[in-house]
Amino acid sequence: MTSSSDSGRISLFDPMGQQEPFDFGYHVDSPMTGGQFHSHSLYEIYYFHEGRCTYLIGDSIFVLKPGDLLLMNGLTLHCPKVEPGTPYIRSIIHFDPAWVCRDMPESVRSALLEPFASLLNYRMTLEGARKAEFESMLAGMHRLGLSKNRFVRERMALRLQEMMYMISDWCQGAVQDQEAVSDKERHVQHVISFVEQNYMYDLTLDQIAREAHVTKHYLSSLFKEITGTSVFKYVYNRRINQAKILLRLNPDLSITEVSQAAGFKHLAHFSRMFKEMVGATPEHYRKSGVDIH
């Protein structure tokens, strides 16, 4: 049984009427409202068909073009910023990995989920045969979802599994590159992931070092060696970048509210750091319309 909540959107329900952890929006062209950051526990496959959109995922900013495919773990805050007056056409699949990979051997489950778990939030651009194959697969899933076939739930799961096999194959090189990183790089990546989830809270070097299971002196040296900057310079850069995003996308927030949401306890400290790192006050940055970098 299927339900379409708007044009092109399909949700699956089990025989007892409970919604399955799967939602598919095909060629969705409804405008974005609010521009709010959001997160969810589901994995997401996002395909950009047409329009002008900048997608913000955590501290990464992707200027999308048709054929771009995003793989998202969902938990990282993300938000599309669509240029007013332009189309915004995308296909989006949300799914629970436990649902789509149920009854699979562990080796197969790992292979299918590795691009999401290892690469976290990843963009690839599809062209030529890959682009045509992926778009054909999306269209086929959409037709199936609208059908009256009594095995639509089972067949939709198989179609999604097939798509994930294809994506896993395309991402093999990127996953292998990720696996080839050194232990030092793994420690630093762990710290960066921890900061991404906690930059809005009070952080201390002791706390971050405990999370990374290293001493704070080793952490300071290691982070500088790998990134060329200090741990807290990175933290402040992350906070200021978040403030820039909020200033651009949330005009109703006061400067004080932006400061607090970005992780600053004191407005004066935030204003001073923002001016130092951006070259303009938060108020001037918001009014100027300067692009986010």
Side-chain angles (χ1 to χ4, degrees):
M1 177 177 176
T2 64
S3 171
S4 180
S5 58
D6 57 43
S7 177
R9 198 163 197 92
I10 303 297
S11 297
L12 295 185
F13 292 79
D14 68 19
M16 300 300 294
Q18 299 298 312
Q19 187 170 358
E20 293 278 17
F22 173 87
D23 184 73
F24 175 34
Y26 177 67
H27 261 254
V28 178
D29 60 1
S30 56
M32 291 297 300
T33 58
Q36 296 293 325
F37 277 84
H38 61 281
S39 64
H40 45 77
S41 61
L42 303 179
Y43 283 178
E44 181 172 338
I45 298 171
Y46 171 105
Y47 184 75
F48 187 61
H49 292 277
E50 181 184 349
R52 301 188 67 175
C53 174
T54 300
Y55 215 113
L56 302 100
I57 310 176
D59 63 348
S60 298
I61 300 175
F62 301 103
V63 179
L64 299 183
K65 55 183 179 295
D68 275 358
L69 176 65
L70 296 176
L71 309 179
M72 290 185 266
N73 67 4
L75 292 175
T76 305
L77 286 172
H78 52 283
C79 174
K81 177 182 178 294
V82 181
E83 185 169 319
T86 65
Y88 178 43
I89 303 175
R90 67 278 189 198
S91 292
I92 304 172
I93 300 173
H94 295 112
F95 66 94
D96 184 335
W99 174 77
V100 73
C101 294
R102 64 192 186 282
D103 302 325
M104 284 184 171
E106 181 58 35
S107 59
V108 176
R109 179 195 301 261
S110 297
L112 293 192
L113 298 181
E114 195 161 28
F116 299 89
S118 179
L119 301 177
L120 296 181
N121 301 296
Y122 182 68
R123 173 178 63 175
M124 69 178 80
T125 298
L126 305 184
E127 298 175 328
R130 284 187 176 182
K131 185 173 185 288
E133 183 179 9
F134 191 81
E135 291 183 354
S136 175
M137 186 170 289
L138 287 172
M141 291 177 69
H142 177 62
R143 289 192 298 271
L144 174 62
L146 293 176
S147 74
K148 302 300 183 181
N149 189 294
R150 66 191 180 99
F151 295 113
V152 63
R153 293 171 61 252
E154 293 78 8
R155 291 178 63 188
M156 188 67 80
L158 290 173
R159 296 285 181 90
L160 179 56
Q161 289 171 7
E162 182 183 1
M163 176 179 286
M164 292 173 66
Y165 275 114
M166 184 168 63
I167 289 173
S168 180
D169 183 49
W170 290 345
C171 292
Q172 184 178 13
V175 170
Q176 289 174 343
D177 289 343
Q178 184 77 7
E179 292 174 344
V181 301
S182 67
D183 288 340
K184 288 183 176 181
E185 291 169 315
R186 290 184 195 279
H187 276 306
V188 170
Q189 183 57 59
H190 185 70
V191 169
I192 289 173
S193 297
F194 178 75
V195 170
E196 174 59 37
Q197 297 298 326
N198 295 278
Y199 66 84
M200 67 291 295
Y201 306 120
D202 283 340
L203 292 174
T204 67
L205 192 60
D206 282 327
Q207 179 186 7
I208 297 172
R210 283 196 303 272
E211 176 66 24
H213 304 292
V214 297
T215 68
K216 64 180 181 180
H217 301 293
Y218 179 71
L219 174 61
S220 296
S221 174
L222 176 63
F223 201 89
K224 179 75 171 180
E225 176 188 342
I226 298 298
T227 68
T229 191
S230 70
V231 174
F232 269 93
K233 188 170 183 180
Y234 177 83
V235 171
Y236 283 125
N237 270 283
R238 178 64 187 94
R239 288 172 173 169
I240 292 298
N241 191 62
Q242 186 66 21
K244 291 166 66 179
I245 292 169
L246 294 173
L247 288 167
R248 172 59 60 83
L249 296 181
N250 298 86
D252 294 333
L253 288 179
S254 69
I255 301 300
T256 298
E257 289 171 327
V258 168
S259 168
Q260 293 171 345
F264 288 89
K265 294 178 65 176
H266 304 291
L267 179 59
H269 183 211
F270 166 66
S271 297
R272 183 172 67 254
M273 292 291 298
F274 195 96
K275 178 70 180 295
E276 178 183 325
M277 298 174 70
V278 180
T281 65
E283 294 85 354
H284 183 265
Y285 178 84
R286 169 175 273 171
K287 293 176 181 177
S288 70
V290 177
D291 288 338
I292 299 173
H293 296 293

